[in-house]
Amino acid sequence: MKKSLIAIAVLTVAGAASAQSSLNLYGVADVWIGKTKNGDANLGSGGLAGSRLGFKGTEDLGGGLKAHFTLEQGVSLDTGAAAAAGVAFSRQANVGLSGGFGSVKLGRSFTALDDINGAANSGFDSALSATNNVWVAYTASVNDQIYYSTPDMGGLSGAVGFNLSGDATDITSMHVKYSSGPIYVGVAYQDDKSTTVGKSIEHMLINGTYDLGMAVAKASFRTVKNPVGDPFINPKATEYHVGLDYPVNSNLTLSVGYANSETEASNGITTGKSRKSAGFDFAAGYSLSKRTMLYGGFNSTKTNGVKDSFVAAGVNHAF
């Protein structure tokens, strides 16, 4: 009888501990077949969303306080290799606490700018998007980052992050967003400062969406000071994007968008002509289930008169 009572007590404690903690394996498997204007047909990974494998978990510490962690690795499904050679968890590797005060993450995580960058992007914010190969690239994930996000306050929330490493670049990012009913609006800033030359790349983003009922309208505006690789003195890129998502039915959604980017010297002195780039996209996504989607489409770009195009179709499965 005594042994039975002990066994019941152990099972009760184990059940309570299990109820207070969770561990999840998740990921995305995404493969596409595509072709550029002057290239051969190719099979690639992560057309709609980057393929990945991740582990995340939480523990209820009581009083509304929780501990959480995320370990996430990018995977190239076309080769089976890790997305970043020699890096165990290239996308995220962090631990933190959350509660009524919001959430704190310590470690490698995405920047506050990246958190909202794709919120108003056409083409399902994918490799088909009009902004792809048109807008200036930015750093999306940062090592040694302290990241804080506020709780949702009636649709209003924000986040800030900065790294404390000896890396060649110090990155500070922040965003504020409002989402309620048919409206979403976001503002973000990111400063990538070189610790060797003291020069910063500054990104400022404003984007928004509005659900019209029959479709969702999207728009973004961004400026980038001192974008890398531009042969100008004190260059500044000015960029914008407009798009529309149209759900034909519960399974099929069509998306179109246009993006533009122009880089010129902010002091009016250049070593050449300003760089102008524009892109157009058309994409379609068909949901076979809540976790599996077929997608396809194309984007067309023009940079300083040089045209290129990309057409692709693929399958995305989330688990």
Side-chain angles (χ1 to χ4, degrees):
M1 181 66 177
K2 187 178 292 185
K3 290 182 178 179
S4 297
L5 290 174
I6 292 173
I8 292 172
V10 169
L11 289 173
T12 301
V13 172
S18 176
Q20 294 172 359
S21 302
S22 68
L23 174 63
N24 296 315
L25 170 68
Y26 68 95
V28 173
D30 187 310
V31 171
W32 55 265
I33 298 174
K35 185 182 183 303
T36 58
K37 179 181 179 181
N38 298 314
D40 296 329
N42 187 32
L43 188 146
S45 177
L48 187 65
S51 298
R52 71 202 70 167
L53 178 65
F55 306 88
K56 60 183 177 182
T58 62
E59 181 185 14
D60 191 339
L61 302 175
L65 186 66
K66 292 183 179 181
H68 54 82
F69 79 92
T70 303
L71 300 172
E72 188 176 287
Q73 170 65 294
V75 181
S76 297
L77 258 64
D78 50 336
T79 63
V87 180
F89 298 101
S90 59
R91 292 175 62 87
Q92 298 188 77
N94 56 71
V95 65
L97 298 171
S98 61
F101 60 88
S103 177
V104 176
K105 295 186 290 187
L106 305 174
R108 180 171 176 82
S109 58
F110 297 109
T111 69
L113 172 72
D114 184 71
D115 282 345
I116 70 167
N117 184 74
N121 212 357
S122 61
F124 312 117
D125 188 33
S126 70
L128 294 168
S129 297
T131 57
N132 195 37
N133 295 324
V134 172
W135 277 23
V136 175
Y138 65 94
T139 302
S141 194
V142 182
N143 293 331
D144 307 294
Q145 182 172 219
I146 299 175
Y147 183 100
Y148 167 71
S149 57
T150 71
D152 186 284
M153 298 168 285
L156 182 67
S157 62
V160 60
F162 58 93
N163 63 332
L164 293 177
S165 70
D167 289 349
T169 305
D170 288 335
I171 297 177
T172 302
S173 64
M174 60 194 72
H175 78 241
V176 176
K177 62 180 180 179
Y178 176 77
S179 181
S180 181
I183 300 173
Y184 157 80
V185 178
V187 179
Y189 172 81
Q190 182 166 313
D191 182 359
D192 301 3
K193 183 177 181 180
S194 171
T195 58
T196 56
V197 298
K199 187 176 182 180
S200 289
I201 304 171
E202 299 180 55
H203 306 259
M204 176 64 78
L205 169 72
I206 302 173
N207 63 8
T209 65
Y210 188 83
D211 191 339
L212 302 168
M214 61 178 295
V216 178
K218 303 183 172 186
S220 305
F221 176 79
R222 190 173 69 148
T223 62
V224 186
K225 292 183 179 180
N226 300 316
V228 173
D230 283 297
F232 306 128
I233 302 171
N234 302 321
K236 178 182 178 180
T238 302
E239 306 175 323
Y240 67 87
H241 162 266
V242 291
L244 190 74
D245 284 1
Y246 175 67
V248 179
N249 53 46
S250 59
N251 298 98
L252 177 63
T253 299
L254 305 180
S255 182
V256 295
Y258 173 82
N260 185 279
S261 177
E262 183 172 352
T263 301
E264 59 184 6
S266 59
N267 61 1
I269 303 173
T270 69
T271 57
K273 296 180 180 179
S274 62
R275 188 190 67 217
K276 297 180 180 180
S277 185
F280 170 80
D281 74 58
F282 173 80
Y286 186 84
S287 297
L288 298 174
S289 70
K290 289 184 178 180
R291 298 191 300 160
T292 304
M293 175 182 282
L294 300 178
Y295 63 90
F298 71 91
N299 69 19
S300 177
T301 61
K302 183 178 180 181
T303 301
N304 282 352
V306 179
K307 296 181 179 180
D308 199 0
S309 61
F310 173 66
V311 59
V315 57
N316 175 286
H317 176 75
F319 59 90

